[in-house]
Amino acid sequence: MALSQSGDVARLLTERTGRRVEIVGVTTLGDVSREQLTQIGGTGVFVSALRESLLRGEVDFAVHSLKDLPTGAAEGITLAAVPPRDDPRDALVAREGAKLADLPAGARIGTGSPRRAAQLALLRSDVTAVPIRGNANTRLAKVRDGELDAVVLAYAGLARIGHTDLVSEIFEPEDMVPAPGQGALAVECRTDDTELAELLATIDHPATRAAVTAERSLLAALEAGCSAPVGGYATGVAGTERLHLSGVVLGVRATSFQPGVLDVGPAAGRMVVRERGEADAADAIRLGYELAARMLALGAADLMRGENSDRNDAHD
């Protein structure tokens, strides 16, 4: 998948600038470890090795799934481009093309994402979310071989590896709020390479950048000490220069995927905190922070306080 999305960026850059791009593969901790992502560092495990290679001058720029990027700035590195976003939704791949409502009680659904597991529990409290690792093909094989009844993956990822034909259901953002940045790519280069940054700017998509900026600002404001599942999704308001942002925090233990287990904690019985907001696209950062402030005031802080020290699933 990483090679596929890097190839997409390379082709787009060549189309826009005429410059040839050579793809260099880099193996990250997230690629080789079989541990759950919340146990090996969560956000950033797919990013650090690429950034180190970039800073050493081994590559000129790096392509990431944007949801993998930590929200904090990286010294010496700049986010030079956010290309047009692909479909941000989550998708179910089930045996015999079954939809979520068709699966039997107790069905085992694989996901490496606490956010997806939590929202599955809200949609179907009688199914079991099973933590899994491995690339998309490895996860799909668990369904094909009968080890799992279904898996939930990002639709954009399935599209990039040519497996949308296996999708049995696509979850609308109202039912399963995507991870901040899901479906988008991030292109980073060294801050001092201003000539390359200008070249990469030709593939930047301002509407996508504004949307993911709002989502990542929401995440940044919620992230400190937080391992609760967090979703955030921004879209442009048709015919305007404004953004609409939806956010959700779910009181579910990131390390415990069990059927319908919601850790309500001390938040006055509240299992889920949802909020929506709108602002000018130019105020994307403020929109994310203001929405987070309202969510924290509504009890999101209490939900997150009940969690352990793991990070949330911006990387799922």
Side-chain angles (χ1 to χ4, degrees), residues 109-221:
I109 303 176
T111 175
S113 161
R115 174 189 59 83
R116 290 177 181 139
Q119 293 185 97
L120 280 172
L122 295 177
L123 294 170
R124 279 284 304 269
S125 62
D126 59 342
V127 299
T128 301
V130 179
I132 57 172
R133 282 298 318 278
N135 62 32
N137 284 318
T138 298
R139 300 183 188 201
L140 293 170
K142 293 181 182 294
V143 177
R144 184 192 64 225
D145 298 340
E147 183 177 341
L148 295 171
D149 295 290
V151 292
V152 179
L153 298 165
Y155 184 87
L158 290 167
R160 288 168 188 154
I161 62 173
H163 279 320
T164 56
D165 59 310
L166 300 178
V167 172
S168 52
E169 183 174 5
I170 300 174
F171 297 107
E172 295 302 323
E174 295 79 13
D175 297 320
M176 187 172 288
V177 183
Q182 185 160 307
L185 299 177
V187 183
E188 293 186 324
C189 71
R190 291 181 294 278
T191 302
D192 59 7
D193 196 342
T194 55
E195 182 179 351
L196 178 58
E198 291 178 3
L199 195 71
L200 293 171
T202 63
I203 64 173
D204 189 66
H205 189 243
T208 297
R209 183 183 280 265
V212 300
T213 295
E215 295 164 13
R216 285 167 55 77
S217 297
L218 171 72
L219 182 63

Side-chain angles (χ1 to χ4, degrees), residues 9 47-48 50-52 54 59-64 69-70 72-74 76-83 185-191 196-197 200 216:
V9 169
V47 174
S48 297
L50 288 168
R51 284 178 166 173
E52 290 166 6
L54 181 60
V59 298
D60 296 306
F61 64 90
V63 178
H64 313 279
L69 285 188
I77 292 175
T78 187
L79 178 57
V82 179
L185 299 177
V187 183
E188 293 186 324
C189 71
R190 291 181 294 278
T191 302
L196 178 58
L200 293 171
R216 285 167 55 77

Side-chain angles (χ1 to χ4, degrees), residues 2-52:
L3 289 175
S4 173
Q5 61 195 31
S6 296
D8 289 343
V9 169
R11 284 186 291 275
L12 181 60
L13 188 60
T14 299
E15 290 173 6
R16 297 280 175 87
T17 69
R19 299 289 292 271
R20 186 178 65 86
V21 179
E22 177 186 353
I23 296 177
V24 178
V26 177
T27 301
T28 72
L29 175 62
D31 296 318
V32 298
S33 175
R34 297 299 90 190
E35 298 294 330
Q36 294 302 309
L37 293 182
T38 52
Q39 297 173 336
I40 60 175
T43 303
V45 299
F46 293 104
V47 174
S48 297
L50 288 168
R51 284 178 166 173
E52 290 166 6

